[in-house]
Amino acid sequence: MVDEIFPQFNYCVPIRMDTDKAKELVESVYGLKVGKITELNTYYDRVFHVLCSKNIKNPHVATINEAGYVLKVLNAADSKETDFVDAQNAIMNFLNRQGITCPSPVINLHNSYYSLETLENCDTEKHVVWLLIYQPGTILSAKNLTKDLLLELGRRAANLGNLLRGFSHPGYDAHDNLWMLTNLPKLKPFTLAVKDLQKRNLVCDVILDFENEVLANAGKLERGIIHGDFNLNNFVMDNTEEKITAIIDFGDSQKAFLIFELTIALAHVIHHTQDIKIGRFVIEGYESVKKLSDFERNILKTVVCARFVQCLVMGTYNQCNDPKYVFELQETGWVVLENLWLTERSQLLRMWGLSP
């Protein structure tokens, strides 16, 4: 167990609960009658797609959403950060008002967007119980990534940064976790979970360059609120049109450098396609809205590699705690990271259309 090596890390324990308990929570906390409930893929939390009948016992709900709802029951550790839950509700409501479709929180019988509940037969901790409007469609990762879709992904990363200049919430001021790229150096102790010495040396090299190139020059980068997880599973597409219609899951939203929105998208697109060159379309879309500075261009390689390192180290660490844990980059992420890291910066910038 890696916990024995790093006892200071608060490892999240997955919640044990079934659909019967989830149905009970929807009906008792939100006053909605459940017709059908299906558990969705997640790990630490429990997430369900819920379809409800028109039998409403909630004065804050005028009509039933035909596409259903998402019930989220957060793990005990994240349930302690209620200020951050408030911040996520605020950012989703803000973006919906700005015309950016994302889940909307539903007001419960206590006139609140969420409640803290004890789950019988699970533990004695309180868990955030949270109901959101479901966004129907197909996730972007299930689609063929055309040039137009990649351009749109880049544009959305830039547009979101521009929109969120007008948003703030105190819940983001103190929010801090290991999935924030600014905390990459804090992963150093966890690199011991990477048993292959060559891979461990690679991640240590990336972390060192990230410290020297990015964090040491923080004053050159614009800060703001970002979504923080621009991966292909967090975009919903219309089933009849080839366009992105909604963005979901604000659990990694944070105060950070705005360029991170782009680099996170690049890392996940490159991994998904196994094609480093295809990143140029995401960048082209981004720059059609917001031009990169010379400094931002020069650090792109390092920050994209930093996202790979973050996912690979944390995924490897979690798998040491639980062999059943499977993470997206598990099979091919190391190969892509090595190829990306060994590509000369000047060559990479040419591939991405950022230099002659």
Side-chain angles (χ1 to χ4, degrees), residues 189-206:
F190 303 101
T191 61
L192 292 177
V194 181
K195 302 304 181 185
D196 185 293
L197 187 58
Q198 183 176 344
K199 291 177 179 176
R200 191 189 304 166
N201 288 336
L202 171 59
V203 300
C204 289
D205 288 344
V206 173

Side-chain angles (χ1 to χ4, degrees), residues 59-74:
H60 309 292
V61 177
T63 57
I64 292 296
N65 182 52
E66 295 296 332
Y69 304 87
V70 174
L71 175 71
K72 287 191 172 187
V73 183
L74 300 189

Side-chain angles (χ1 to χ4, degrees), residues 163-340:
L163 273 177
L164 289 174
R165 286 194 180 99
F167 172 82
S168 64
H169 191 281
Y172 286 112
D173 295 337
H175 179 59
D176 186 56
N177 65 41
L178 285 176
W179 283 105
M180 299 169 76
L181 267 178
T182 47
N183 284 333
L184 192 73
K186 294 181 180 180
L187 292 185
K188 289 177 183 177
F190 303 101
T191 61
L192 292 177
V194 181
K195 302 304 181 185
D196 185 293
L197 187 58
Q198 183 176 344
K199 291 177 179 176
R200 191 189 304 166
N201 288 336
L202 171 59
V203 300
C204 289
D205 288 344
V206 173
I207 292 172
L208 181 61
D209 274 20
F210 184 82
E211 288 180 296
N212 293 334
E213 292 182 13
V214 182
L215 297 183
N217 294 286
K220 298 179 181 180
L221 293 168
E222 184 180 0
R223 290 180 63 90
I225 306 295
I226 65 171
H227 176 273
D229 194 12
F230 251 53
N231 81 68
L232 303 178
N233 294 321
N234 285 334
F235 292 90
V236 178
M237 295 186 61
D238 190 294
N239 284 326
T240 59
E241 298 181 53
E242 291 295 306
K243 66 178 183 180
I244 296 171
T245 55
I247 181 170
I248 61 176
D249 195 351
F250 286 79
D252 287 308
S253 55
Q254 60 190 263
K255 269 190 177 178
F257 303 127
L258 298 188
I259 189 64
F260 287 177
E261 203 83 282
L262 171 62
T263 53
I264 289 169
L266 282 171
H268 288 280
V269 165
I270 290 169
H271 177 256
H272 182 81
T273 60
Q274 302 288 293
D275 183 358
I276 294 174
K277 298 188 296 295
I278 205 168
R280 72 176 297 150
F281 300 127
V282 182
I283 294 170
E284 183 181 337
Y286 188 92
E287 286 213 301
S288 69
V289 176
K290 180 176 170 34
K291 290 294 183 182
L292 295 167
S293 69
D294 289 341
F295 178 71
E296 288 172 329
R297 293 182 178 203
N298 285 331
I299 65 170
L300 276 182
K301 172 186 171 179
T302 297
V303 187
V304 173
C305 288
R307 177 61 171 184
F308 272 94
V309 164
Q310 184 184 49
C311 294
L312 287 166
V313 170
M314 290 303 296
T316 302
Y317 172 84
N318 287 337
Q319 196 170 60
C320 288
N321 281 281
D322 183 358
K324 295 180 181 178
Y325 181 86
V326 178
F327 58 102
E328 183 185 355
L329 276 65
Q330 184 173 16
E331 298 297 329
T332 54
W334 289 107
V335 175
V336 178
L337 172 61
E338 184 175 2
N339 290 338
L340 189 60

Side-chain angles (χ1 to χ4, degrees), residues 31-33 52-58 64:
L32 301 179
K33 182 67 175 176
C52 296
S53 70
K54 296 182 180 179
N55 183 13
I56 303 171
K57 296 181 180 179
N58 184 335
I64 292 296

